[in-house]
Amino acid sequence: MCGIFGYTGAQNAVREVIAGLRALEYRGSDSAGVARISPEGALIVQKCAGRLDALEQALAAGGDVSSRCALGHTRWATHGAPTDANAHPHGTPRVQIVHNGIIENSAALRRRCLADGYVFASETDTEAAAFVIDRYYRILGDPILALRHAAAELRGSYAFGVLFADFPDRLFALRHESPLLIGRRREGNCVASDLAALGEGERRYHPLEQGEIACVTPDDVLFYPPDDGAPYHKDVLVAAETAAPIDKGGYPHHMRKEIADEPQALRDTLFPRIRDGLPDFSADGLDLDRLLASPRVWFVACGTACHAARLGASSFARLAGIDARAEVASEFRSACPMPDARDTVIAVSQSGETADTLAALRAARESGARTVAVVNTKGSAIARAADCAVCTEAGVEVAVPGTKTFVAQVALLRLLACALGRRAGRIGDDEAARLCRELSELPDRLTRLFDREEEIVALSRRFHRTCSGFTFFIGRGEDSIIAAESALKLKEIAYVPSESYPAGELKHGSIALIERGTPVVAVCSVPSQREKMLSSLREVASRGASVLTFAACDPDGALRAASEAVFCAADDPAPLTDPLLVAAALQLFAYHVARQKECEIDRPRNLAKSVTVE
Ligand code: G6P
């Protein structure tokens, strides 16, 4: 994936680039680099492994870096280890490029460039693309022609920012599949991977379309079509929304702050969609009848959003009787049968930029299915690609582990399922109103849960002290999905090897791994699964497992009797929302385990917030 930011204008370009990259570090921070045109017109590159801070220090140590045109990159490694040499930009004294994406035919291009006499300094796919551009520029002497010819030879996905030494105040940009936009500033213009990099306040921009090439000067932006058509100007779009200040709100980590944001995220997402106590999606432009008429509804998503999607599919089936299923987006195109023109495909994504989810959505469109996006980022690629976009209003989420967006996605999909069930005549108005009330009460219930954080801290300390290694997460029904999400949290931020299993499936193999002291985290929020969960707990406890149960409640103390410790997240049972309450308690649990282990919680190793490569 990676983040791209370039600036040309009256300001100090390197400083602008560093500020832009700072907002893009969530896309990867394995290395960073910047190319600039010196006052003498030479292309100067500085890059190093590690986070942006390392590059900033190197730049500071290098003395004067004044320039009016610069191009930077923050990397999430795909081809080649995160080393200085593999950091972007790549190129020659004539041309330097930064890249987001994967060039799939890079091995063949590399062979050809070697035959042409190019000497590779890195293991990246990007360097081959840079040399192809350089070669065409050398032959044709025109940057647009060089980029067009090079693009015709590249396979895969790319967003490129390009600097030519011969055009010292111009940035060039082109893309295929990977996102890129041109930002318009009062003083100068920029090239950026996404809106977040354009700063706070009103942001003026042009999205770059597939195959389009942009030539960006300090006061103008000219676009060129992929073929040899004439250049043109485009209207400026305005993203009116002011980016919320990205601070930690007094908490030690973004993740903890974002968990604390959950009640407000729910209010902002749900309340505008509840009118007179009943669900109302009219402002979203969603055609509920079309959804209900779909023989099948498919959810596609990745990571945490996929767990929200699985819970969404479960709500659609239970409340609205819809044949709904959730598929990991990267596997969707292997699904058999694929959806047809009568089906609906719903893509769920926090960022709205995840390449696998976007590709699945596009495949669904090609098969004729109607598409809906559930995203947290208005105007994102997935929102634009779908027939209809419904937005969660969780605000910017900075920490790599998704928390508030997960809760908002699940609650939104529950409310939508309720609206569909009512429309289908499966739920009466009284029941719909009751479910809406339950959802409306969730923010306050979460606040009360967070007041008990110390109890969760104590459990996390105990877990950290006694955890002997591989941790099982088990649950039944929707709780098996909460178990999957909670295991993901623990492994991604606390690096504790953890896997989830449907509790009933354990005895068919995986229980062989349970021995004295094996940690088992049991999730039990669904009352109808309680009896069977108790049996599962006894099965593992009798084999020596150390069982920690996260439940909604435990009225008769049976869960306590079958576990070493129990945390009950709910005061009064509320079946529609209890799984979310328990999920939030487990988010806090993972967070505090990671704190005991002094992990880098907001930016875990090897991960990025938004993955824009397939
Ligand atoms: C990455 C992130 C995950 C996230 C997933 C899907 O893998 O590390 O935290 O759940 O992408 O992201 P999306 O933006 O589509 O929800």
Side-chain angles (χ1 to χ4, degrees):
M1 72 226 122
C2 313
I4 291 174
F5 194 88
Y7 172 85
T8 176
Q11 303 291 321
N12 178 328
V14 172
R15 211 172 44 221
E16 295 296 315
V17 164
I18 295 293
L21 292 181
R22 184 74 62 205
L24 293 173
E25 260 200 304
Y26 75 91
R27 301 172 76 96
S29 49
D30 289 333
S31 65
V34 61
R36 66 192 155 95
I37 309 266
S38 74
E40 298 74 38
L43 262 175
I44 299 172
V45 174
Q46 262 172 294
K47 55 188 190 175
C48 57
R51 305 217 152 142
L52 199 52
D53 293 340
L55 176 67
E56 258 195 304
Q57 279 163 17
L59 287 166
D64 181 26
V65 289
S66 58
S67 170
R68 299 280 168 240
C69 186
L71 183 59
H73 187 263
T74 175
R75 177 171 186 242
W76 186 75
T78 59
H79 286 54
T83 59
D84 291 355
N86 289 333
H88 299 211
H90 293 285
T92 67
R94 258 185 306 266
V95 56
Q96 287 288 324
I97 75 169
V98 293
H99 171 212
N100 169 27
I102 293 179
I103 305 299
E104 286 167 2
N105 59 337
S106 65
L109 295 175
R110 183 177 264 263
R111 279 193 298 278
R112 222 195 52 209
C113 291
L114 283 168
D116 284 345
Y118 283 98
V119 178
F120 282 81
S122 81
E123 305 151 275
T124 62
D125 51 340
T126 307
E127 196 174 17
F131 289 163
V132 173
I133 295 170
D134 180 84
R135 179 172 169 274
Y136 277 115
Y137 181 66
R138 210 161 29 92
I139 298 166
L140 301 166
D142 178 279
I144 302 295
L145 288 180
L147 293 174
R148 271 188 190 139
H149 277 78
E153 291 192 5
L154 303 178
R155 303 278 162 271
S157 60
Y158 52 81
F160 290 131
V162 187
L163 268 181
F164 289 90
D166 291 343
F167 297 86
D169 68 343
R170 290 185 205 185
L171 292 167
F172 294 84
L174 73 158
R175 76 170 196 93
H176 177 72
E177 303 298 352
S178 304
L180 202 60
L181 54 84
I182 312 301
R184 305 298 303 257
R185 296 245 175 103
R186 245 189 304 279
E187 286 192 308
N189 292 314
C190 41
V191 172
S193 290
D194 65 34
L195 281 172
L198 298 187
E200 291 176 27
E202 186 185 87
R203 289 156 297 170
R204 300 166 63 242
Y205 70 105
H206 309 281
L208 192 64
E209 302 303 334
Q210 291 270 54
E212 209 172 35
I213 298 173
C215 172
V216 184
T217 61
D219 42 28
D220 194 21
V221 183
L222 209 49
F223 293 89
Y224 296 79
D227 51 33
D228 10 307
Y232 48 91
H233 287 99
K234 296 207 297 193
D235 289 345
V236 177
L237 303 186
V238 180
E241 197 184 330
T242 304
I246 303 180
D247 65 24
K248 295 180 190 155
Y251 292 96
H253 299 93
H254 285 290
M255 180 184 178
R256 181 62 191 86
K257 186 233 171 210
E258 285 158 5
I259 293 173
D261 286 345
E262 285 174 2
Q264 196 54 43
L266 286 170
R267 287 186 194 102
D268 293 345
T269 300
L270 296 175
F271 290 4
R273 295 180 171 106
I274 299 177
R275 189 171 303 171
D276 299 329
L278 291 168
D280 180 356
F281 281 80
S282 50
D284 289 296
L286 247 188
D287 185 345
L288 296 188
D289 293 323
R290 172 73 171 75
L291 250 171
L292 282 170
S294 306
R296 287 170 307 184
V297 171
W298 306 64
F299 286 85
V300 290
C302 303
T304 291
C306 192
H307 295 140
R310 287 176 63 196
L311 289 164
S314 154
S315 305
F316 273 40
R318 277 187 309 116
L319 295 176
I322 291 174
D323 179 357
R325 59 195 73 182
E327 192 78 64
V328 169
S330 54
E331 292 292 316
F332 175 71
R333 279 168 293 175
S334 323
C336 195
M338 278 291 277
D340 64 33
R342 294 164 309 149
D343 293 337
T344 299
V345 174
I346 303 180
V348 183
S349 171
Q350 176 279 128
S351 61
E353 302 290 346
T354 302
D356 286 324
T357 310
L358 185 58
L361 192 79
R362 289 198 175 126
R365 278 188 77 106
E366 273 162 30
S367 69
R370 186 174 160 73
T371 53
V372 176
V374 174
V375 293
N376 195 50
T377 314
K378 293 189 181 76
S380 54
I382 291 172
R384 292 199 307 271
D387 294 317
C388 170
V390 183
C391 293
T392 49
E393 302 286 346
V396 178
E397 191 175 70
V398 176
V400 168
T403 51
K404 60 177 177 175
T405 52
F406 171 76
V407 169
Q409 285 158 352
V410 177
L412 177 78
L413 293 173
R414 290 246 200 277
L415 185 67
L416 180 55
C418 177
L420 289 164
R422 180 169 169 249
R423 181 71 135 248
R426 289 174 61 99
I427 298 178
D429 279 0
D430 288 352
E431 177 63 357
R434 194 190 64 72
L435 295 173
C436 285
R437 244 188 340 270
E438 202 190 303
L439 283 164
S440 309
E441 284 162 5
L442 182 58
D444 290 343
R445 298 177 80 214
L446 278 170
T447 305
R448 291 201 290 279
L449 168 73
F450 298 155
D451 288 343
R452 295 168 53 208
E453 184 169 5
E454 275 314 309
E455 293 173 49
I456 298 177
V457 173
L459 290 172
S460 70
R461 286 213 182 97
R462 175 192 170 131
F463 178 87
H464 176 56
R465 242 189 357 260
T466 58
C467 172
S468 52
F470 188 89
T471 300
F472 286 74
F473 279 75
I474 60 172
R476 286 172 182 263
E478 289 202 331
D479 283 337
S480 72
I481 308 172
I482 303 294
E485 169 58 12
S486 307
L488 177 65
K489 282 282 153 295
L490 198 65
K491 72 183 114 172
E492 68 181 347
I493 61 167
Y495 309 142
V496 174
S498 335
E499 250 357 293
S500 69
Y501 300 87
E505 183 62 12
L506 263 189
K507 57 184 176 291
H508 299 294
S510 308
I511 202 168
L513 291 173
I514 302 264
E515 52 190 15
R516 179 145 306 282
T518 304
V520 174
V521 177
V523 183
C524 189
S525 72
V526 181
S528 61
Q529 303 289 354
R530 199 178 140 78
E531 287 308 316
K532 288 209 161 45
M533 264 313 275
L534 273 167
S535 305
S536 302
L537 295 195
R538 290 181 190 123
E539 280 162 21
V540 292
S542 64
R543 287 163 175 84
S546 164
V547 180
L548 168 57
T549 300
F550 280 79
C553 45
D554 185 23
D556 58 2
L559 290 171
R560 195 163 302 276
S563 319
E564 280 186 13
V566 175
F567 180 81
C568 292
D571 19 32
D572 290 320
L576 189 68
T577 51
D578 278 350
L580 276 176
L581 215 54
V582 173
L586 280 156
Q587 289 172 349
L588 277 178
F589 175 72
Y591 170 76
H592 284 293
V593 173
R595 282 199 75 179
Q596 316 288 324
K597 296 187 71 181
E598 299 182 359
C599 296
E600 209 163 343
I601 293 174
D602 287 334
R603 288 189 291 172
R605 68 183 177 219
N606 303 338
L607 297 180
K609 181 75 182 155
S610 171
V611 183
T612 52
V613 289
E614 279 181 55

